[in-house]
């Protein structure tokens, strides 16, 4: 019974940390979003296909997002190797870019909306919202991992045997 008060006292701190992480993630992402939208519209202006433009614009945006997330949002998280982090970050970012490009594809080819406004709504609003949800989950779950404290590492096995077999 003594564990319950300690857990409830720790909960406000955990909520504050997650809130700060979400805020920093959104700010770093906002900067990357600005780069994405600017490059996307430049590509459209230059006459490139809208799906190709969305794929191209995701590259510099992903670089900006990586720097912002690694060195600001998740700076307190364990460093698991630049190569591993960078590779996983770009794999998950590519999946998210695919989500965005898919939204443009559906808008253009299945719904028949081919204007610049429709491309921006499908790629930079709908696609970005879906991609952002995916990125936040993937980055905090797989890319920028939490350090396991020794206390939690030693208590978890004991807790798993709580109802255990003797």
């Amino acid at each position: 019974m003594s564990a319950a008060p300690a857990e409830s006292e720790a909960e406000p701190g955990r909520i504050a940390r997650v809130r700060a992480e979400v805020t920093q993630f959104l700010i770093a992402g906002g900067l990357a979003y600005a780069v994405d939208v600017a490059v996307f519209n430049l590509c459209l202006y230059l006459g490139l296909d809208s799906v190709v433009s969305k794929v191209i614009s995701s590259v510099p945006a992903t670089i900006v997002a990586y720097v912002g997330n690694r060195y600001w949002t998740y700076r307190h998280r364990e460093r698991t190797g630049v190569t591993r982090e960078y590779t996983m970050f770009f794999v998950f970012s590519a999946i998210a870019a695919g989500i965005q490009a898919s939204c443009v594809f559906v808008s253009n080819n299945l719904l028949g909306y081919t204007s610049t406004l429709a491309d921006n709504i499908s790629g930079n609003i709908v696609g970005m919202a879906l991609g952002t949800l995916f990125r936040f989950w993937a980055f905090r779950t797989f890319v920028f991992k939490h350090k396991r404290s020794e206390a939690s590492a030693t208590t978890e096995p004991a807790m798993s045997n709580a109802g255990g077999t003797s």
Side-chain angles (χ1 to χ4, degrees):
M1 294 224 174
S2 63
E7 288 176 13
S8 64
E9 291 170 10
E11 195 63 26
R14 182 177 181 274
I15 290 170
R17 282 190 307 274
V18 170
R19 186 179 310 128
E21 191 173 281
V22 168
T23 301
Q24 291 170 329
F25 176 82
L26 291 174
I27 291 169
L31 184 56
Y33 177 73
V35 170
D36 191 335
V37 171
V39 173
F40 178 68
N41 282 289
L42 176 64
C43 289
L44 290 177
Y45 177 77
L46 295 173
L48 296 175
D49 176 74
S50 55
V51 175
V52 171
S53 296
K54 181 44 66 188
V55 172
I56 290 170
S57 70
S58 68
V59 174
T62 300
I63 293 167
V64 169
Y66 178 79
V67 170
N69 282 295
R70 171 70 274 170
Y71 297 104
W72 188 45
T73 307
Y74 299 110
R75 69 185 174 278
H76 62 284
R77 297 275 182 112
E78 180 177 5
R79 303 235 178 205
T80 57
V82 172
T83 303
R84 181 202 158 279
E85 281 180 4
Y86 203 68
T87 301
M88 290 189 75
F89 189 91
F90 278 89
V91 166
F92 287 121
S93 292
I95 293 169
I99 292 169
Q100 289 179 257
S102 295
C103 290
V104 175
F105 177 84
V106 167
S107 174
N108 279 212
N109 299 307
L110 301 181
L111 301 177
Y113 298 117
T114 58
S115 70
T116 301
L117 177 62
D119 289 344
N120 274 282
I121 291 171
S122 62
N124 295 325
I125 296 176
V126 176
M128 184 59 75
L130 296 173
T132 297
L133 291 172
F134 172 77
R135 283 180 185 99
F136 183 72
W137 168 78
F139 294 166
R140 77 184 317 262
T141 303
F142 299 108
V143 180
F144 305 114
K145 296 181 171 193
H146 270 299
K147 282 186 179 179
R148 287 184 56 138
S149 67
E150 291 181 29
S152 68
T154 57
T155 58
E156 285 178 11
M159 291 174 70
S160 65
N161 292 330
T165 57
S166 336

